[in-house]
Amino acid sequence: MPSTIAILGNPNVGKTSIFNALTGLNQSTANYAGVTIDRKFGRVNCDGATGTLVDLPGAYSLAARSPDELIVADVLLGQRADEDRIDGMLIIVDASNLERNLYFVSQLLEMEIPAVVALNMIDVAKRRGIKVDADKLSEALGLPVVPVCGNTAKGIDTLKLRFAKLLRGEVPAAEVKFRYPGPETRAIGELEAELAQHRDKIGRDVPRIEAVRLLVDEGGETELRVTKLLDGGFPTRLKAIREHAINDGVPAAVQEANARYGWAHSVIDACVTRPPKRIRTRSEKIDDVVTHRIWGTLIFAAVMLFIFQSIYAWAVPAMDLIDGVVGMSAEWAAAYLPEGMLQSLVVDGLIAGVGSVVIFLPQILLLSLFIAILEDCGYMARAAFLLDRLLSWCGLSGQSFIPMLTSFACAIPGLLATRTIQNRRDRLVTMLVAPLMSCSARLPVYIIMIAAFVPARPILGGLLGTQAVTLFCMYLLGVVVAAPVAWILKKTLLRGPQPPFLLEMPSYKTPRAATVFIKVYREGREFLVRAGTLIFAVTIVVWALAYFPHPESVLEKYEGLRTAAANEIADTAALDERIAEIDNLEAGELLRGSVLGRIGHVVEPVFRPLGWDWRIATAAIASFPAREIIVATLGTLFNLGADEDEESPGLRETLRNATWPDGTPLFTLPVALSIMVFFALCAQCGATLMVMKRETKQWRWPIIAFTYMTTLAYIGAFLAYQIGTAVLS
Amino acid sequence: MSAITSTVMTLADLQPGDFGTVERIMCLGPVQQRLLELGMSPGVDLEVIRTAPLGDPMEVYVRGFHLTLRRNEARCVILK
């Protein structure tokens, strides 16, 4: 019979390394419906026994304050349709910090199902002079206890043997070791009777553990869920039962904590020897520097600069390589496929679409690598500690900083980095504002507009130039807009009680290569598979809009011109030049006549207040799947050929010479500013929106992000153009 | 400053290096429960390790581990 075992423990107890040690690369992820966390599971084969190991998020308690936190209890109690019934538990505890770990263990024992305890981090405990007697602990818990050291794999073989027994059903069930005080026990009984009466409305039996959570967690997730199902009188009755649980003026929550920690203390007394005086740990000595007022801030700045620089610059060779391979495949396909719709679909649609996704892979892998290392060694908590005050001004916490900074390179890894944020509302707000940071794909737009239309003048006696300052302002714009947007989101859409910022500062440890590798590998694979398929579809749609109707008459006209040129011009180089010119004119006319080009004409009045003509509007619309498309599209639209990049002087000159039908210059400084502001604020990145959907499991959030960013972009561009024009005239 | 805050000692009043013993958690609801679950239950000893460069949050050593919390939450922890 196949067994499903859940792996459980507090955060930072080394759950991941033990999960990896037991499953290897044999792991997958899926979705839990309705929550932001992934369902991570792996196939295990230990000593001939097979089964599934489900990795549940680290928790300090079964008390749930958000749908995400409810997952642990729900899976354990067999109340999720998307998860098999749990047959047993592998509980990981930290030997160096056993007392707090036992609080959660005392709740898990109440599941009364078979369990094995892995006593992890025995090496760290030893360094601190803490000795845990595993046999006595096993006796106190009534469960098998295996001392292990997840980082060096010491004890893992013994754990595997025990785990095999758990899989085979040869481990006895855990027993409740802890009794609630009298009044609370009676109140639980009352509540159970009340719930049994309304069994038909709830639709199932409510297990005792859930009844306890309903009683103790005032305003918690269990209460919200049950109250929704029952009649309006239930909250009053619940309140009355809660009154009964009060013992000597002490509410149930305090009683629970006192009783569980009391039990934990008695277990500690029986099996742990601690040094009389606390030994100052290595971590504390490191933190004297790393979280120091001055040194800590400098180290943080250096770490961020290093990461930023690496994503920004070091990913470039790999990205160029991918770009080259994509370009070669496009050429190859163009050479082998007959000219026509199929060739265009493969070259401009399929290959360009895949290329636009794969190009982000080096950045994602590099960033995943840094995040995995920083997380695994314990630095993330320090960064949040250092930065918390700054971000609390716009209603967020220190944990939002790294995702925001990362988004300056690319919003996609930025969104992935929000996974370290515990509070769901904070995480959503961070995801919604992260795409406002100027990512590297905006740089080409800034460069071409600034180089062509911002006059280079020295500022501050030549220390700075107008062009550099303009570029800096574009980067600043995202931050300046993000702060009030986050603040407003926290006050409106994602309003709720300010979550307590209670973060454990884990001990530093050497990152484990296997843990880091598996994380990076998973990020890369998931990005390619999930975001890839979706952005790919969007790219095909835009390709189709830009291709059809593709009238024969236009093709024949230009074919005639090419034949004529071949007859007239003898010189090969001159002929090639003329043919290229004709090709560009043809591409331009086809795009003008395409559905996309017509849309551009139709919407031109909408973009007129921004100072844009139909060509700029078309280019901006075509850039919604990926903003860097604008450079190539502008090239095509202004009849220069699609192979333009931001460095090319040709495009710069053409843009400078472009005019309105009446002959006045199209691009002026206010128009250039309006385009830049639009691109700075607009959600023109299909991949980002798809990843946002994937991470939040809801379409709602990418739609909200898209709507508010596009609105802000329009308003911003409008203001830039109108104010700019007013000031200059 | 109200009379209560001036007569009752809370965790937020401690400086790095100071020790204290928890008497009770004043605030109710999730903050109280979270603090309790993380070991800030009545009678436990704690030590303030440091405060962040901008003065908030603070780092506390309690029940064998390091916990960071904002002054806002630290004000809920009444000391003996």
Side-chain angles (χ1 to χ4, degrees):
Chain A
M1 193 184 107
S3 249
T4 306
I5 309 291
I7 183 165
L8 294 139
N10 282 178
N12 309 310
V13 293
K15 232 157 42 69
T16 309
S17 58
I18 291 180
F19 179 78
N20 289 340
L22 290 173
T23 60
L25 273 177
N26 211 345
Q27 39 182 275
S28 351
T29 52
N31 295 345
Y32 280 122
V35 291
T36 52
I37 48 175
D38 280 326
R39 178 178 177 272
K40 204 170 119 198
F41 56 99
R43 299 289 307 160
V44 275
N45 187 342
C46 279
D47 197 26
T50 57
T52 308
L53 189 59
V54 180
D55 189 15
L56 289 173
Y60 295 108
S61 156
L62 286 178
R65 292 285 169 192
S66 73
D68 287 10
E69 290 175 351
L70 201 57
I71 276 288
V72 179
D74 270 358
V75 170
L76 281 178
L77 293 169
Q79 279 167 17
R80 285 203 70 101
D82 41 17
E83 189 73 80
D84 289 337
R85 198 173 50 84
I86 298 297
D87 304 302
M89 300 180 285
L90 176 59
I91 305 171
I92 319 290
V93 293
D94 175 357
S96 69
N97 183 13
L98 203 51
E99 195 174 346
R100 198 204 59 215
N101 279 249
L102 286 177
Y103 182 94
F104 188 41
V105 173
S106 77
Q107 291 181 330
L108 293 177
L109 292 177
E110 287 162 28
M111 297 302 306
E112 299 182 275
I113 56 173
V116 168
V117 175
L119 181 64
N120 200 11
M121 307 208 190
I122 38 172
D123 51 336
V124 180
K126 206 168 165 187
R127 270 206 303 274
R128 293 187 196 165
I130 301 169
K131 244 189 84 193
V132 182
D133 186 327
D135 294 331
K136 282 191 180 149
L137 182 62
S138 170
E139 204 177 299
L141 299 179
L143 295 173
V145 173
V146 186
V148 289
C149 178
N151 277 356
T152 57
K154 198 175 141 196
I156 290 289
D157 288 336
T158 320
L159 183 66
K160 279 185 178 165
L161 292 178
R162 285 286 185 192
F163 189 71
K165 285 192 166 184
L166 186 61
L167 286 171
R168 286 196 213 101
E170 293 168 10
V171 174
E175 286 169 36
V176 183
K177 290 286 161 187
F178 152 88
R179 296 280 163 219
Y180 293 99
E184 194 176 339
T185 307
R186 280 195 296 280
I188 295 167
E190 281 177 58
L191 188 57
E192 282 184 312
E194 164 83 26
L195 293 171
Q197 267 180 29
H198 299 286
R199 199 202 167 280
D200 52 327
K201 276 192 199 137
I202 303 171
R204 60 184 170 85
D205 289 319
V206 176
R208 177 169 206 145
I209 292 167
E210 210 180 333
V212 172
R213 300 281 35 112
L214 179 57
L215 180 78
V216 179
D217 310 346
E218 287 187 39
E221 203 60 32
T222 315
E223 179 180 336
L224 295 179
R225 184 159 73 182
V226 175
T227 311
K228 241 184 265 172
L229 298 169
L230 295 179
D231 61 290
F234 178 72
T236 324
R237 296 197 295 278
L238 179 63
K239 198 162 173 269
I241 296 173
R242 278 180 180 158
E243 298 281 328
H244 300 167
I246 296 177
N247 185 12
D248 212 7
V250 182
V254 182
Q255 287 179 52
E256 182 185 11
N258 286 344
R260 289 192 195 279
Y261 271 115
W263 172 78
H265 211 84
S266 69
V267 175
I268 297 285
D269 277 346
C271 60
V272 180
T273 33
R274 280 186 283 201
K277 205 175 167 290
R278 182 165 70 90
I279 297 174
R280 251 173 71 81
T281 59
R282 198 184 49 173
S283 281
E284 273 175 69
K285 287 174 197 158
I286 297 174
D287 269 343
D288 284 346
V289 180
V290 172
T291 57
H292 184 268
R293 234 161 251 266
I294 298 157
W295 302 126
T297 314
L298 286 177
I299 289 170
F300 176 79
V303 170
M304 290 304 119
L305 220 75
F306 176 81
I307 294 180
F308 195 44
Q309 171 69 18
S310 66
I311 308 174
Y312 208 80
W314 299 349
V316 169
M319 292 170 89
D320 285 345
L321 187 73
I322 292 173
D323 205 29
V325 172
V326 170
M328 260 157 55
S329 353
E331 273 173 35
W332 183 85
Y336 281 84
L337 290 169
E339 217 164 291
M341 197 182 89
L342 181 67
Q343 190 203 57
S344 178
L345 174 66
V346 172
V347 175
D348 304 328
L350 293 176
I351 295 177
V354 172
S356 72
V357 175
V358 178
I359 196 91
F360 291 118
L361 193 62
Q363 286 185 332
I364 301 235
L365 293 181
L366 260 179
L367 188 91
S368 304
L369 176 73
F370 289 126
I371 289 186
I373 292 173
L374 289 182
E375 250 186 340
D376 213 37
C377 77
Y379 187 75
M380 279 307 198
R382 273 78 190 178
F385 178 69
L386 289 172
L387 271 298
D388 181 64
R389 186 67 191 274
L390 277 182
L391 283 129
S392 70
W393 284 326
C394 53
L396 293 172
S397 83
Q399 292 174 308
S400 297
F401 187 79
I402 287 174
M404 303 266 221
L405 189 88
T406 307
S407 301
F408 275 103
C410 176
I412 294 160
L415 293 183
L416 300 183
T418 63
R419 286 183 189 173
T420 56
I421 303 173
Q422 287 156 355
N423 181 267
R424 178 183 155 84
R425 281 193 309 271
D426 279 12
R427 184 172 176 218
L428 284 171
V429 171
T430 312
M431 280 202 242
L432 287 173
V433 298
L436 282 172
M437 306 298 130
S438 272
C439 66
S440 53
R442 278 155 169 125
L443 194 59
V445 186
Y446 297 158
I447 287 180
I448 190 160
M449 288 298 150
I450 290 174
F453 304 107
V454 176
R457 295 212 185 93
I459 303 179
L460 290 175
L463 202 64
L464 290 167
T466 38
Q467 295 188 327
V469 169
T470 312
L471 186 64
F472 178 74
C473 287
M474 295 323 296
Y475 273 91
L476 202 62
L477 182 65
V479 184
V480 171
V481 172
V485 169
W487 189 82
I488 291 169
L489 283 170
K490 287 286 279 192
K491 293 277 171 211
T492 55
L493 218 53
L494 290 158
R495 191 179 45 223
Q498 175 78 15
F501 179 75
L502 296 170
L503 195 67
E504 183 184 354
M505 213 58 124
S507 311
Y508 286 105
K509 61 187 174 77
T510 318
R512 229 172 95 79
T515 309
V516 170
F517 171 78
I518 288 175
K519 231 176 197 166
V520 173
Y521 167 79
R522 276 189 44 204
E523 293 303 353
R525 193 186 58 183
E526 275 175 46
F527 169 74
L528 284 183
V529 173
R530 296 206 216 165
T533 43
L534 286 156
I535 176 133
F536 182 61
V538 174
T539 316
I540 298 293
V541 171
V542 172
W543 167 83
L545 291 177
Y547 184 84
F548 291 107
H550 218 72
E552 274 305 314
S553 56
V554 177
L555 299 180
E556 275 161 21
K557 181 174 116 193
Y558 284 95
E559 198 48 54
L561 283 176
R562 272 189 286 263
T563 320
N567 292 336
E568 282 163 27
I569 305 169
D571 180 45
T572 328
L575 178 61
D576 282 350
E577 209 172 286
R578 175 74 189 132
I579 297 273
E581 204 178 300
I582 295 170
D583 286 349
N584 287 333
L585 286 170
E586 182 184 25
E589 184 165 344
L590 285 170
L591 188 55
R592 269 195 298 279
S594 72
V595 179
L596 191 67
R598 286 179 209 176
I599 294 174
H601 274 103
V602 172
V603 299
E604 196 191 62
V606 178
F607 290 101
R608 231 17 200 284
L610 312 187
W612 300 6
D613 77 339
W614 74 270
R615 289 172 292 191
I616 306 176
T618 308
I621 291 170
S623 317
F624 271 93
R627 49 176 66 87
E628 56 273 32
I629 291 174
I630 190 173
V631 180
T633 317
L634 282 177
T636 312
L637 284 167
F638 288 94
N639 290 336
L640 246 169
D643 283 336
E644 285 305 316
D645 64 48
E646 66 278 10
E647 303 291 342
S648 52
L651 181 57
R652 216 179 294 167
E653 275 311 306
T654 314
L655 293 182
R656 277 189 189 139
N657 296 334
T659 58
W660 288 97
D662 66 4
T664 54
L666 171 60
F667 286 93
T668 57
L669 180 58
V671 172
L673 286 177
S674 126
I675 293 174
M676 281 194 285
V677 169
F678 189 87
F679 273 75
L681 299 179
C682 198
Q684 288 169 309
C685 182
T688 297
L689 295 172
M690 295 311 170
V691 171
M692 202 182 285
K693 150 76 176 62
R694 188 189 103 195
E695 290 294 306
T696 60
K697 316 273 166 75
Q698 282 177 313
W699 278 109
R700 207 178 144 197
W701 302 111
I703 290 171
I704 289 170
F706 180 80
T707 314
Y708 98 78
M709 286 179 73
T710 310
T711 312
L712 278 184
Y714 187 88
I715 296 171
F718 176 79
L719 292 177
Y721 175 70
Q722 298 295 342
I723 295 172
T725 312
V727 169
L728 286 183
S729 66
Chain B
M1 193 181 269
S2 72
I4 292 173
T5 48
S6 58
T7 54
V8 175
M9 180 83 152
T10 73
L11 177 55
D13 299 322
L14 296 188
Q15 296 299 314
D18 288 353
F19 293 84
T21 305
V22 176
E23 187 176 288
R24 63 194 167 90
I25 307 294
M26 194 170 55
C27 47
L28 295 171
V31 180
Q32 182 193 46
Q33 199 176 18
R34 279 284 140 90
L35 285 168
L36 289 167
E37 285 166 356
L38 286 164
M40 293 263 190
S41 57
V44 75
D45 294 326
L46 45 80
E47 178 189 350
V48 176
I49 304 292
R50 62 172 61 83
T51 55
L54 295 166
D56 199 17
M58 64 201 295
E59 182 183 343
V60 176
Y61 181 82
V62 59
R63 286 194 200 268
F65 78 105
H66 294 256
L67 179 71
T68 60
L69 71 169
R70 287 182 182 158
R71 289 190 177 274
N72 213 3
E73 275 91 50
R75 271 189 279 274
C76 293
V77 182
I78 312 284
L79 302 177
K80 278 182 183 155

